[in-house]
Amino acid sequence: MSSRAVSSVFVAWVTLLTATYYLAEPVRRPLWVLIGFSAATAVLVGVRRNRPRHPGLWWLLAAGMALFVAADIVTPLFGRPWRSLGTTSLLVDIFYLSVLVSFATALSGFARWSAGTGRASVLDGLTLIAAAGTISWTLLIAPRLGSPNVRYLGAIQQIAAVAYPLGDLLLLSIMVRLVVGARWTATILLLGAGGLAFFAANVVYQSTTKLGAWVPGHPVDAVWFVFLTSWGLAALRPGMTRLTEPGLARSSELTVQRLVLLAVCALIPPALLVAEAVRGPVDNGIPIATALVVITALVLARLIDAMRQNLRVLGRERGVRAAGVRFVAATSRAEVARVVEGAVADLLPAQTPHKVLLQLGDAGPGPEYCATCPRQGGPAHARCAWPEHAALCQPAALPPDLARAFRGFPLVLRCRLAPTGLSEPAEGTLHVAAADADRIALTELRPSLEVLALQAAMALSRIELTGEVHRRDSEAYFRTLVHNASDVILILNRDGTIRYGSPSAAEMFGDPAFLGTSFPDRLAEEDRADVLAWLGDPSATAAEHQASWTLVGDPAPVEVEASARDLSGDATVGGLVLTLHDVTERRQLERELTHRAFHDPLTGLANRALFAERVTQAVLRAHLTGTQAGVILIDLDDFKMVNDTLGHPVGDELLVKVAARLREVLRPDDLAARLGGDEFAILIEDAADRTAVENVASRVVTAMAVPVRLGGQLVRADASVGVASADFAADADELMSNADLALYAAKDAGKGHWRSFHPELHSTMVERMNLRTDLDRAISAGEFTVRYQPIVRLVDARVVGLEALARWEHPLRGTLPPAEFITVAEETGLIVPIGIQVMRHALTAAASWPVGDAGPAPYVGINVSVRQFRSLGMVSGILREMHAAGLPPDRVVVEITESLLLDENEQVWTDLARLRAAGARVAIDDFGTGYSSLSYLRQTALDLVKIDRSFITGLDRSPSQRALVDGIVGIAETLGLTVVAEGVETPAERDILIAMGCTHGQGYLFSKPMTEQETTGWLGRKD
């Protein structure tokens, strides 16, 4: 009969007896005994049928179940109900306590085999026992000892009364350890369910039933029947044999379940203490506190052990990775075995005696090889299957030869070299035995060994595949490979006639009738001589010949890599063997990639890398041959404006047109390149002298001055050009640096200019760079001061305002005027913080100027550069500084240049109108020096026009100049604008301006620029 059938019969039998037990009251006590002995008998039957290797624990479990029932048989012999008080019941108590001892011993044995006996398992068990003891003492033992019914009992009876609940909790803790520490099987779950039912029935009985009043037929009896049935079924399961075999223990790592269990144990003493405090006086404070200390210490020890285990896991992972590297280098099975042996030695704890055996070939499971079989050579059955990749077993469970090999070791960990479930069979089995009685090392080694075995299987597969590839590389496969190869294989006679060709030759030659033709005639002219020389030299054909040739194919030439060898002495070949590999696409791709690597994808010109390489070569050649070489750097002046206004596609089109113009003005041997963005460069080689290089630069500037038609409109492409020649440079880097300096000089000269490098230019640019550095420092050090030059009414020299002029108090060069640093400040953007400092000083000073009785206080004129005005929040900053200085807006004139109004930006006019709306006035400074346009004077956001000094100087000597100034004054007067003439230095110039109708002037005739202290004194004297 099968195990399933036996289990079904047992369940049906117990169910029938239970139903009869509750229905037939007179026979309840005999049925109680019959059910108990039926369960004990089921355990014995299971031991008999399944024959575990260690049946003693199951016998002990059956004995405990029998004693559990026997106690009820003995109780009436003493004339009292079960566990009644007042009568000597030592023998009855011995029966019941023996039940607990039997169960505890059997379950502890199962836990030792299935849950392990390592440090972690012991700590977990002790923690559970401590927590269970705390509960038992607080809820059962202490109250029972304090009960009046127990105080008059004898000492032995009191001990028995305490031992019952303590034993129940001890059994529960052992059962929890078994269930948590072992991998779940049907047997484990049935034992756990039965143990829980036993505990629950005892607790309910002791808590709800009056002591000494138990009567058969109580509902709690059904729970005891569940306990008996569950344990009987557990013994009948075939898997019950694994409960006393190695391999069920879980890893000792601190899992979530174990951590939760430890946390619950640690919280039990505080919870009990809180419960007693809420209920009333704390009677068990000292025992609970002691338990809290003990449990906390055990939990901390367990956490420390988990940390150490994690460190061991990391060490094993490193060992497995190192073994993986060594597997890659293994080239034979013997080397793989040595790598496995070394890796296992590294994974096991140091000085652990062990043995490793790598069994190659099919080592699938069989009846003689199953750890769960009751005996070697027994009948095969379903439970003998080996479902796991790795498993622990005893040496006696192995085949005889392996059992002898591992004699003396308690356990063997075996692992397949390939996991089950793959289409290919396992490569073999890895066996590892260790002197590890408590199975800790081998259990922890199991995951690492699985990975190691898989790595070994992969290495063996790789070695086998490599050997197979080598085996197939033989004559038996030659013809198949030749007929299916894309490469062409030819056999030639000594005169070059094709005697044999593989099928792919017809496609390569474009001629199916190639046999019998001359191979050299199929090559390009430049390669034919090489082949004829090789064919005519026997010494050359004796060695392998490598070459690259071009075949005159149809419809296009074919580039091939050729490998030739003379096999005339081989009877199977008898000729010269040529192997041709078509590399046409590869060479085309290489040429394309090379072109892309050294050329700009947009314009097709050389890129920076190719240009730098060619410049290096040109400088070396120029120095060696005495010829001239030069570099021309080109930068488009207004390219950013084109991108911003017309869009990037139009900008890209402009770059392409510029590249085309450069090609037009250059010689065929000259090199044009795009370095990036709107930067281009030209390399001139073998020039007659520097003048020839400069002439090219001049032609470039002229060509770029012609507008380019883009998208239906003309766009200017003016360029600044820098020229440098090799006679002023020691190497390519210096030549490029010199050209850069020349380009800076060209930009300083204005748009559309070119400049040539000369040694003095280097000094000038170095000084310029130093100036930039000093400007940074000067801003932080506050070295900028302000001078004030009066603006007067011409008819009576009355002061109406003062213009604030920046000065730099340089620590080495003294006081510097704006002309020496403004340009650099504009380029670097430092003009913004400089302008803010000057404006702040000027507004603060103007607020302190004395006010006379003759008229309003003078205004202060503040110069604002284009870059400063267009910076974010500039207008708000001006208004904020006026408010901070306490200066009314009507005493402030913001002076701007014409270039700010060049692009007619609506935002600029909006900002100017905002200043005027706040009360400040706006003046155009240096009118006439920029893009002078009378249309600016029509704008309503202007108040003053300041005519540049270049128009005033010599006014009394130039009639045309006088007429021009007169026209400007007249138009400004018509538009209602106040005119200020700058640079008035003579009385004659003043008188002419008064005659023209100009009302205000400024210049040395009235006063030179003054410091703040001088200005205050000067104004006081004027009043």
Side-chain angles (χ1 to χ4, degrees):
M1 185 180 294
S2 66
S3 298
R4 184 183 299 273
V6 172
S7 299
S8 300
V9 170
F10 171 66
V11 172
W13 170 251
V14 173
T15 303
L16 177 62
L17 293 179
T18 302
T20 307
Y21 176 85
Y22 277 103
L23 294 175
E25 181 177 355
V27 293
R28 282 177 178 171
R29 187 175 295 276
L31 289 175
W32 169 271
V33 174
L34 184 58
I35 292 174
F37 280 114
S38 296
T41 303
V43 174
L44 296 177
V45 171
V47 171
R48 175 63 181 172
R49 287 178 56 85
N50 299 316
R51 285 182 288 183
R53 292 188 182 276
H54 302 280
L57 297 177
W58 289 101
W59 291 343
L60 197 58
L61 196 69
M65 298 169 70
L67 287 172
F68 179 71
V69 179
D72 288 324
I73 300 176
V74 174
T75 301
L77 299 179
F78 290 90
R80 71 173 181 88
W82 184 51
R83 294 184 184 175
S84 62
L85 299 177
T87 308
T88 301
S89 59
L90 177 60
L91 183 59
V92 176
D93 289 332
I94 289 175
F95 267 88
Y96 283 121
L97 293 178
S98 297
V99 171
L100 298 178
V101 172
S102 299
F103 287 167
T105 304
L107 293 177
S108 296
F110 292 149
R112 178 182 179 277
W113 280 103
S114 300
T117 57
R119 175 184 174 88
S121 180
V122 171
L123 290 174
D124 291 344
L126 290 176
T127 305
L128 287 171
I129 292 173
T134 305
I135 296 175
S136 178
W137 175 268
T138 305
L139 301 181
L140 299 175
I141 298 175
R144 180 167 294 183
L145 290 176
S147 173
N149 296 328
V150 179
R151 292 175 183 172
Y152 63 85
L153 294 178
I156 296 177
Q157 292 173 321
Q158 290 186 4
I159 292 174
V162 171
Y164 289 130
L166 185 61
D168 290 339
L169 287 175
L170 177 62
L171 286 179
L172 180 63
S173 64
I174 296 174
M175 185 59 63
V176 171
R177 180 190 165 205
L178 175 63
V179 174
V180 173
R183 285 180 291 166
W184 286 356
T185 64
T187 304
I188 294 290
L189 295 177
L190 286 170
L191 285 176
L196 181 61
F198 180 78
F199 174 78
N202 287 348
V203 170
V204 171
Y205 175 80
Q206 295 173 17
S207 301
T208 62
T209 305
K210 184 177 180 182
L211 191 64
W214 177 80
V215 177
H218 193 278
V220 76
D221 294 347
V223 184
W224 273 312
F225 295 157
V226 171
F227 140 67
L228 294 170
T229 305
S230 297
W231 283 11
L233 285 174
L236 292 174
R237 297 284 302 178
M240 57 90 74
T241 58
R242 301 188 67 189
L243 211 60
T244 54
E245 294 286 349
L248 280 184
R250 296 178 185 266
S251 173
S252 59
E253 65 182 43
L254 192 61
T255 61
V256 175
Q257 295 87 343
R258 290 177 184 244
L259 190 60
V260 170
L261 187 59
L262 293 176
V264 170
C265 291
L267 291 174
I268 285 176
L272 293 174
L273 195 62
V274 171
E276 285 206 353
V278 171
R279 188 175 55 198
V282 178
D283 299 325
N284 299 289
I286 295 178
I288 293 176
T290 303
L292 178 61
V293 172
V294 172
I295 293 175
T296 302
L298 291 172
V299 171
L300 289 178
R302 182 64 174 93
L303 294 177
I304 294 173
D305 183 74
M307 181 184 67
R308 292 175 176 172
Q309 182 182 3
N310 287 335
L311 293 177
R312 292 195 298 271
V313 170
L314 291 176
R316 287 195 294 270
E317 289 181 357
R318 287 193 292 268
V320 171
R321 287 197 296 268
V325 175
R326 294 195 292 270
F327 276 128
V328 173
T331 58
S332 66
R333 291 189 170 194
E335 291 184 10
V336 171
R338 285 194 293 271
V339 172
V340 170
E341 292 173 359
V344 172
D346 293 337
L347 293 175
L348 285 170
Q351 308 301 323
T352 300
H354 67 279
K355 187 171 185 178
V356 180
L357 180 60
L358 183 63
Q359 184 184 32
L360 301 179
D362 188 8
E368 75 282 0
Y369 198 74
C370 180
T372 59
C373 286
R375 60 187 181 279
Q376 294 186 23
H381 44 79
R383 62 185 175 82
C384 285
W386 184 3
E388 299 169 313
H389 189 192
L392 283 169
C393 66
Q394 293 179 332
L398 301 175
D401 55 340
L402 292 176
R404 287 191 297 271
F406 293 109
R407 183 176 299 161
F409 289 97
L411 292 172
V412 177
L413 179 62
R414 63 189 186 184
C415 186
R416 295 179 183 272
L417 294 190
T420 56
L422 296 181
S423 58
E424 296 295 329
E427 292 286 344
T429 309
L430 174 62
H431 300 81
V432 179
D436 185 27
D438 55 3
R439 308 183 302 281
I440 299 174
L442 290 179
T443 301
E444 293 184 352
L445 181 63
R446 176 174 172 169
S448 300
L449 187 63
E450 291 179 356
V451 177
L452 185 67
L454 193 55
Q455 289 178 338
M458 295 173 64
L460 290 171
S461 298
R462 173 181 55 80
I463 293 171
E464 183 177 350
L465 290 174
T466 303
E468 180 66 16
V469 170
H470 291 164
R471 186 184 66 82
R472 293 189 178 186
D473 189 13
S474 64
E475 185 178 356
Y477 295 90
F478 175 75
R479 185 170 299 276
T480 303
L481 293 177
V482 167
H483 279 268
N484 291 279
S486 59
D487 289 355
V488 173
I489 299 176
L490 303 176
I491 299 178
L492 308 180
N493 294 329
R494 177 63 64 180
D495 61 358
T497 303
I498 303 175
R499 196 177 77 216
Y500 168 82
S502 60
S504 54
E507 182 180 356
M508 180 177 287
F509 293 149
D511 178 13
F514 62 87
L515 291 178
T517 62
S518 174
F519 176 73
D521 292 342
R522 295 185 175 276
L523 294 177
E525 188 68 31
E526 60 271 16
D527 297 327
R528 195 170 301 162
D530 178 45
V531 176
L532 292 174
W534 175 72
L535 291 172
D537 186 357
S539 62
T541 56
E544 184 174 0
H545 183 70
Q546 304 284 343
S548 295
W549 297 327
T550 301
L551 296 174
V552 183
D554 186 15
V558 180
E559 297 181 65
V560 297
E561 288 182 348
S563 175
R565 181 179 292 275
D566 186 3
L567 297 180
S568 301
D570 190 329
T572 59
V573 179
L576 305 175
V577 179
L578 275 179
T579 303
L580 305 179
H581 179 61
D582 188 349
V583 293
T584 304
E585 293 185 359
R586 191 182 78 189
R587 294 288 169 79
Q588 290 176 349
L589 180 60
E590 289 174 353
R591 287 191 287 269
E592 182 180 350
L593 292 177
T594 301
H595 184 273
R596 290 183 181 180
F598 294 103
H599 291 79
D600 176 54
L602 177 63
T603 62
L605 300 179
N607 62 8
R608 184 182 294 273
L610 179 57
F611 189 78
E613 180 181 346
R614 288 284 302 275
V615 170
T616 301
Q617 298 172 359
V619 172
L620 292 175
R621 185 165 54 253
H623 289 167
L624 291 175
T625 62
T627 58
Q628 185 61 268
V631 168
I632 301 174
L633 294 183
I634 305 163
D635 189 87
L636 301 183
D637 291 326
D638 293 319
F639 181 73
K640 185 177 184 302
M641 184 180 298
V642 173
N643 262 347
D644 293 344
T645 57
L646 302 180
H648 288 278
V650 176
D652 291 344
E653 187 180 354
L654 175 61
L655 294 176
V656 174
K657 294 291 183 66
V658 168
R661 288 191 178 182
L662 291 180
R663 293 189 184 98
E664 293 173 359
V665 301
L666 297 181
R667 301 174 302 173
D669 294 336
D670 296 336
L671 177 66
R674 181 187 174 207
L675 303 185
D678 60 345
E679 299 178 40
F680 294 84
I682 298 173
L683 173 63
I684 308 296
E685 297 185 73
D686 300 327
D689 51 23
R690 288 200 305 273
T691 303
V693 179
E694 293 172 352
N695 288 339
V696 176
S698 178
R699 292 201 304 271
V700 169
V701 172
T702 302
M704 295 301 165
V706 179
V708 179
R709 181 168 295 278
L710 298 174
Q713 57 183 318
L714 291 177
V715 177
R716 295 188 64 84
D718 293 316
S720 298
V721 177
V723 185
S725 55
D727 50 3
F728 290 133
D731 53 26
D733 291 338
E734 187 175 359
L735 179 60
M736 292 294 294
S737 178
N738 293 343
D740 267 332
L741 294 177
L743 180 60
Y744 288 139
K747 285 182 174 293
D748 286 344
K751 300 178 181 180
H753 288 79
W754 67 270
R755 288 292 182 269
S756 182
F757 174 81
H758 51 82
E760 294 78 7
L761 182 62
H762 181 269
S763 301
T764 302
M765 297 309 296
V766 169
E767 182 179 352
R768 192 181 188 91
M769 295 301 295
N770 291 336
L771 188 62
R772 291 185 181 184
T773 304
D774 288 348
L775 275 175
D776 266 329
R777 178 194 49 76
I779 294 174
S780 302
E783 295 178 359
F784 292 96
T785 59
V786 184
R787 302 289 190 273
Y788 303 92
Q789 188 173 30
I791 300 171
V792 303
R793 194 163 56 192
L794 293 177
V795 294
D796 57 3
R798 181 181 176 278
V799 179
V800 296
L802 295 99
E803 181 181 2
L805 305 172
R807 294 292 187 270
W808 181 5
E809 305 298 335
H810 196 283
L812 300 178
R813 300 170 58 184
T815 301
L816 302 180
E820 296 195 26
F821 63 85
I822 286 297
T823 302
V824 177
E826 287 276 3
E827 290 177 358
T828 59
L830 297 176
I831 188 65
V832 175
I834 292 174
I836 293 175
Q837 285 189 10
V838 171
M839 176 177 62
R840 186 173 294 135
H841 288 317
L843 293 175
T844 303
S848 64
W849 290 340
V851 179
D853 299 332
Y859 67 81
V860 60
I862 301 171
N863 290 283
V864 180
S865 70
V866 175
R867 186 161 187 172
Q868 182 182 0
F869 194 89
R870 289 179 175 173
S871 62
L872 185 64
M874 187 61 200
V875 173
S876 299
I878 294 174
L879 298 177
R880 186 168 55 252
E881 294 293 341
M882 285 191 295
H883 178 75
L887 187 66
D890 60 355
R891 291 185 57 194
V892 177
V893 173
V894 177
E895 300 187 10
I896 61 175
T897 59
E898 294 175 82
S899 57
L900 178 63
L901 310 176
L902 178 61
D903 57 357
E904 299 187 1
N905 190 317
E906 288 296 330
Q907 184 60 44
V908 171
W909 292 110
T910 301
D911 291 341
L912 293 176
R914 183 182 172 192
L915 283 173
R916 298 182 76 247
R921 288 176 289 172
V922 178
I924 293 184
D925 194 16
D926 300 332
F927 183 78
T929 59
Y931 297 86
S932 300
S933 174
L934 297 178
S935 64
Y936 301 149
L937 303 181
R938 296 185 293 104
Q939 301 293 336
T940 58
L942 298 176
D943 299 282
L944 294 89
V945 176
K946 301 185 72 175
I947 304 175
D948 187 71
R949 63 182 303 161
S950 61
F951 294 95
I952 306 301
T953 302
L955 190 65
D956 53 342
R957 297 188 300 272
S958 174
S960 59
Q961 189 170 329
R962 184 183 308 173
L964 179 60
V965 174
D966 188 30
I968 295 174
V969 172
I971 293 174
E973 184 178 355
T974 301
L975 296 175
L977 301 176
T978 301
V979 179
V980 178
E982 296 180 315
V984 181
E985 297 184 356
T986 65
E989 293 170 352
R990 179 196 59 192
D991 296 340
I992 293 174
L993 289 170
I994 292 175
M996 291 180 180
C998 180
T999 57
H1000 297 82
Q1002 174 183 355
Y1004 275 71
L1005 177 64
F1006 310 108
S1007 175
K1008 66 177 183 178
M1010 300 173 290
T1011 63
E1012 181 178 348
Q1013 184 177 1
E1014 293 172 342
T1015 300
T1016 302
W1018 189 83
L1019 289 174
R1021 291 193 299 272
K1022 280 292 182 178
D1023 292 338

